[in-house]
Amino acid sequence: MNPQWRIFRLNEGETIASFDCGDEDLNDFIHNEAKLYRKALLAMSYGVLDETQSKVVGYFSLANDRISLGDFVTKTEFNRFRKRRFVNEKRLKSYPAVKICRLGVDIAARGQHVGSFILHFIKMYFTNDNKTGCRFLTVDAYAEAVPFYLKNGFFPLNDDDKNDRTRLLYFDLNDVLS
């Protein structure tokens, strides 16, 4: 990881015009939509600045989320999920999470582990002096990005979406604290 990288929150109305991760949807979000999501209080976006180059090498957006019964094919699967992680008195109908809405790495920074740096930052951000009382990180990962998230400790929430364009993955923040 590069010690010259600095995370910053995008200011109201701010975009990152020169960013190109090679994905039209992710580029469009940071160029045009991030400011609209912030204004509507739906998501907050952050950039990763390489201070040696004065260039944004990555970005991510976060929003509130939850893991609930509706995310599982059957109630039995949800109950297995809860039983492995919570004692009886903490078995709720849903659990608070933070969703990684978007995550992109500039083409010029590929192979430098910017994405893993971002995920590590998010994990630490929500476990060091827990900001919101969330337990999980979630992401609807593009199928081609699933191996990246698995390598960074995420797990599939269920096996029903294996062949979909995106796959719902989660990370248990309690694993950072253990």
Side-chain angles (χ1 to χ4, degrees):
M1 310 261 173
N2 190 326
Q4 302 302 321
W5 293 337
R6 182 178 57 82
I7 304 282
F8 66 97
R9 187 166 76 174
L10 269 65
N11 293 319
E12 192 170 333
E14 184 178 11
T15 61
I16 303 173
S18 64
F19 186 84
D20 181 14
C21 68
D23 181 287
E24 189 176 318
D25 182 49
L26 291 174
N27 287 340
D28 181 61
F29 183 84
I30 200 62
H31 293 157
N32 302 306
E33 295 180 39
K35 61 186 171 197
L36 303 174
Y37 275 72
R38 178 186 170 128
K39 185 173 183 170
L41 304 176
L42 296 175
M44 189 61 66
S45 296
Y46 301 80
V48 179
L49 179 68
D50 183 330
E51 293 182 320
T52 61
Q53 301 177 39
S54 296
K55 179 174 175 41
V56 174
V57 293
Y59 86 91
F60 59 98
S61 293
L62 303 174
N64 293 322
D65 196 12
R66 68 181 182 167
I67 294 177
S68 66
L69 175 61
D71 295 320
F72 295 84
V73 178
T74 67
K75 187 174 183 177
T76 303
E77 285 184 32
F78 180 60
N79 285 332
R80 273 192 222 121
F81 172 83
R82 293 190 310 179
K83 192 174 188 175
R84 284 193 302 264
R85 287 167 183 76
F86 299 98
V87 294
N88 282 336
E89 61 270 9
K90 301 296 184 240
R91 293 195 186 152
L92 308 172
K93 293 182 181 180
S94 66
Y95 297 94
V98 169
K99 178 174 280 298
I100 301 169
C101 304
R102 302 283 196 286
L103 189 156
V105 174
D106 196 90
I107 291 172
R110 293 239 172 102
Q112 297 178 28
H113 307 288
V114 175
S116 293
F117 172 80
I118 289 170
L119 292 180
H120 178 75
F121 171 84
I122 295 168
K123 291 171 187 177
M124 294 303 103
Y125 188 71
F126 286 99
T127 54
N128 293 339
D129 193 27
N130 191 331
K131 312 295 184 279
T132 63
C134 72
R135 171 69 183 260
F136 299 99
L137 299 177
T138 60
V139 63
D140 287 317
Y142 290 138
E144 58 273 9
V146 168
F148 161 75
Y149 285 101
L150 295 176
K151 182 179 83 175
N152 281 281
F154 283 72
F155 295 96
L157 202 54
N158 60 59
D159 289 328
D160 195 46
D161 59 356
K162 277 184 181 175
N163 299 316
D164 292 350
R165 188 174 160 269
T166 63
R167 188 143 193 223
L168 183 57
L169 306 173
Y170 76 94
F171 179 87
D172 188 341
L173 290 167
N174 196 48
D175 292 345
V176 172
L177 301 173
S178 303

